[in-house]
Amino acid sequence: MRTTVGIIGAGPAGLLLARLLHRAGIDSVVLESRDRAYVERRQRAGILEQGTVDVLREAGAGARMDREGLRHDGIELRFDRRRHRVDFPGLTGGRSVTVYAQTEVCKDLIALQLAEGGPLLFEAEALAVEGADGDRPRVPFRHQGREGVLECDYVVGCDGFWGVARKAFPDDASQVFERTYPYAWLGILADVAPSHDELVYARHDRGFALLSMRSPSVSRLYLQVPAGTEAGEWSDERIWAELDRRLETDDGWKLERGPITQKSVTPMRSFVHEPMRHGRLFLAGDAAHIVPPTGAKGLNLAVGDVVTFARALVHERRTGSPEALDAYSATCLRRIWQAERFSYDMTTMLHSAPGATAFDARLQRARLERVTSSRAAETDLAEAYTGFPLE
């Protein structure tokens, strides 16, 4: 099998890249190790930055998002039983975010790819990336019990942290930066209307809590728990009681309860692999970087990566110049490190670390007081949350 761009992974990054390339007249093949049902139901991100929303619309993949997605013009910060709203449009010149689950983004892009785009092979396991430093890299793969080889001009690894793409980078050409946090998020889905119309980020001495949503009738909520926690250790009643404690305010606000339909635990870590290119192999999304979910950056960074690659390849095709492709890693990393910085700041400002002292707690409150009393500090948060610009 021969194509211009071999894409490993049919998450939102790989699917969007295939869509962007198709609209630019560049052929591609997508290899996805899981089946379609798995890809369309795996719960991940749910917050789309302004730039991500704009890209999906421009790619012809925004119709259902515009009908069903929930535009949010702010978030609420809570601490010391007080509430403060951050007004995104007022601070950023009109930018906002949209609540639209990754599962729905994938469903939309899969439908478009199967109807209009190039081959999208489910249950097709990429086994390796070979010859990345030559002119024709190869991806051996296994599909429906048969082995094949995908020959490409370029390979883009959108196959996540555990995928084969990053393993093809030579050890002496790779540098890894990472941090593991001593806490995790216990997340639930509940069949109850959200108790607030925007996301609520709460700092509490007992630990962080987040009120989010997936739809007008489904709530998504999170609790900070110790690293290594198993979801089954927490009963439904214990979860709701702890959310009540951490989200409580002095103005009578009430958390509405409902049946919990799903529980999961998300580890908290930061990770960056440099560079993001080796020869004709490019990394995108979780294959190259991971952020703690506090800043809602993971999916949006992946979108930035594939937009950067697609633009660079189109530029090379139109002008014959490889300049933009050569700059791919540096271009992406500037945005990634700003997102890592923001995610770290949000995480350490809102979470209670094991062994934290009274001094540490007072510093957290001072940071929150600064954000909620200084327009400059609040603007910095709003600009970062709604998205760093794509170069």
Side-chain angles (χ1 to χ4, degrees), residues 336-365:
I336 288 161
W337 276 111
Q338 285 302 316
E340 292 283 358
R341 185 270 307 169
F342 173 68
S343 299
Y344 173 83
D345 287 349
M346 288 283 284
T347 300
T348 56
M349 180 172 68
L350 293 164
H351 291 72
S352 299
T357 66
F359 181 85
D360 297 324
R362 291 302 293 267
L363 278 182
Q364 285 183 311
R365 289 189 176 93

Side-chain angles (χ1 to χ4, degrees), residues 2-285:
R2 182 84 174 86
T3 191
T4 300
V5 181
I7 301 171
I8 308 176
L15 291 166
L16 178 59
L17 176 57
R19 180 67 180 170
L20 295 173
L21 295 175
H22 170 73
R23 289 173 69 88
I26 300 172
D27 60 295
S28 69
V29 173
V30 183
L31 304 177
E32 168 55 47
S33 62
R34 303 284 192 161
D35 62 27
R36 180 178 179 178
Y38 179 89
V39 174
E40 292 186 340
R41 70 171 180 262
R42 56 184 168 193
Q43 293 290 333
R44 292 290 190 274
I47 305 297
L48 307 183
E49 295 174 354
Q50 182 69 65
T52 298
V53 169
D54 294 342
V55 166
L56 289 170
R57 287 173 179 156
E58 291 167 7
R64 193 162 69 93
M65 173 190 68
D66 285 335
R67 290 195 308 271
E68 301 177 12
L70 306 175
R71 172 177 164 143
H72 282 198
D73 287 337
I75 58 172
E76 184 172 288
L77 299 175
R78 291 189 186 179
F79 61 103
D80 296 340
R81 301 171 64 94
R82 292 180 286 150
R83 307 165 65 178
H84 177 85
R85 181 175 185 268
V86 179
D87 174 17
F88 291 158
L91 294 162
T92 65
R95 297 199 331 244
S96 63
V97 298
T98 296
V99 175
Y100 191 63
Q102 174 176 315
T103 51
E104 306 312 307
V105 173
C106 287
K107 289 175 187 176
D108 296 342
L109 290 169
I110 287 170
L112 286 168
Q113 185 70 9
L114 294 177
E116 304 174 9
L120 166 54
L121 305 182
F122 291 104
E123 299 180 87
E125 180 187 5
L127 304 176
V129 178
E130 299 173 349
D133 50 358
D135 291 337
R136 292 194 174 181
R138 305 162 74 250
V139 182
F141 66 96
R142 185 181 296 114
H143 181 234
Q144 296 180 343
R146 299 181 179 180
E147 294 195 356
V149 175
L150 179 62
E151 296 183 347
C152 324
D153 293 335
Y154 304 95
V155 176
V156 181
C158 305
D159 52 344
F161 182 79
W162 300 107
V164 301
R166 194 175 69 252
K167 296 175 183 176
F169 278 62
D171 290 341
D172 60 1
S174 301
Q175 190 169 11
V176 168
F177 305 86
E178 59 186 328
R179 173 184 293 270
T180 301
Y181 297 84
Y183 36 74
W185 279 11
L186 170 63
I188 64 167
L189 282 174
D191 285 339
V192 61
S195 301
H196 192 63
D197 56 2
E198 294 177 337
L199 273 68
V200 176
Y201 288 76
R203 187 247 171 234
H204 194 279
D205 289 340
R206 297 177 65 90
F208 170 75
L210 172 63
L211 185 158
S212 183
M213 65 281 296
R214 284 294 178 264
S215 75
S217 60
V218 177
S219 292
R220 182 75 158 151
L221 301 109
Y222 297 92
L223 285 168
Q224 176 189 341
V225 294
T229 295
E230 297 289 336
E233 298 173 14
W234 284 70
S235 68
D236 292 6
E237 176 56 35
R238 183 185 177 193
I239 290 171
W240 286 117
E242 194 62 28
L243 285 166
D244 276 332
R245 292 188 188 100
R246 299 187 192 184
L247 290 165
E248 64 185 352
T249 66
D250 283 333
D251 62 1
W253 177 90
K254 182 182 178 183
L255 176 66
E256 299 296 333
R257 300 187 178 192
I260 295 176
T261 59
Q262 185 182 110
K263 299 177 188 177
S264 60
V265 174
T266 302
M268 304 282 282
R269 61 191 304 243
S270 301
F271 170 86
V272 180
H273 180 279
E274 295 187 9
M276 292 172 58
R277 177 192 180 181
H278 170 61
R280 288 177 174 257
L281 169 61
F282 298 76
L283 301 180

